[in-house]
Amino acid sequence: MTSSVLDLAPVVPVVVLEDAADAVPLARALVAGGLPAIEVTLRTAAALDAIRAIAAEVPDAVVGAGTMISARNVADTVAAGARFLVSPGWTDALLDAMKGSGLPFLPGVSTTSEVVALLERGVTGMKFFPAEAAGGTAYLKALSAPLPQARFCPTGGISAASAPSYLALPNVGCVGGSWMVPGDAVAARDWARVERLAAGAAALRG
């Protein structure tokens, strides 16, 4: 596996699952569409079971866990089989836990000071969140000159229409989004639609 989440695919689906039974067919649809890296967020009671199921039953998927906000989250998701970790922000304790997991991880940032603090700690791959609300492509473009060593996965408010402008930036490795896993498609278990949307997302390049 690559040492960086940023190099797995141009788009990382951000998945919220209410029912762990949907995890495997959803993951198979995303992989079939060309999106192997899947971030399952810890926003629901089903999340850990969903990660466990994907890790066990969809070998072509690289399942990760999002919404890391504590060392306990890190331990639980590693035990469930997660292969990368993503947080909306970071503290020293959370960063230490993610580093200690041995897995690739993307700590969240939204300010220049947070980026510099992570670079100081030897971390160059980051999640930029909430991307649209925090300044979007203009903000990331402004960071690229003084901080070229920092690379980002912008997430938050990104759509199929706006993703290409992010992917065109030199300091963006991938984007995170949920437009390829719309709630109505998941609720209807319309996995063919998810696969079509995933294929469109996988084709996006800067």
Side-chain angles (χ1 to χ4, degrees), residues 42 68-80 82 85 93-94 96-101 103:
L42 298 189
M68 296 285 106
I69 57 171
S70 69
R72 175 64 185 271
N73 287 159
V74 174
D76 287 347
T77 52
V78 169
L85 308 172
L94 179 58
D96 287 343
M98 290 195 292
K99 275 190 166 185
S101 73
L103 298 178

Side-chain angles (χ1 to χ4, degrees), residues 85-205:
L85 308 172
V86 184
S87 69
W90 67 279
T91 63
D92 286 329
L94 179 58
L95 188 68
D96 287 343
M98 290 195 292
K99 275 190 166 185
S101 73
L103 298 178
F105 63 93
L106 291 175
V109 297
S110 60
T111 69
T112 307
S113 294
E114 290 170 319
V115 175
V116 172
L118 282 177
L119 291 174
E120 206 173 64
R121 296 284 299 269
V123 178
T124 57
M126 310 169 195
K127 170 178 174 171
F128 178 54
F129 176 84
E132 287 288 282
T137 55
Y139 193 96
L140 288 173
K141 194 178 295 182
L143 288 182
S144 65
L147 302 169
Q149 63 273 57
R151 295 178 70 221
F152 301 95
C153 175
T155 306
I158 297 175
S159 66
S162 62
S165 60
Y166 281 96
L167 291 168
L169 298 175
N171 56 349
V172 170
C174 62
V175 299
S178 55
W179 73 86
M180 74 298 298
V181 284
D184 58 342
V186 176
R189 296 181 166 86
D190 187 351
W191 310 127
R193 181 180 169 205
V194 170
E195 182 178 339
R196 286 195 304 273
L197 290 169
L204 294 175
R205 300 286 174 181

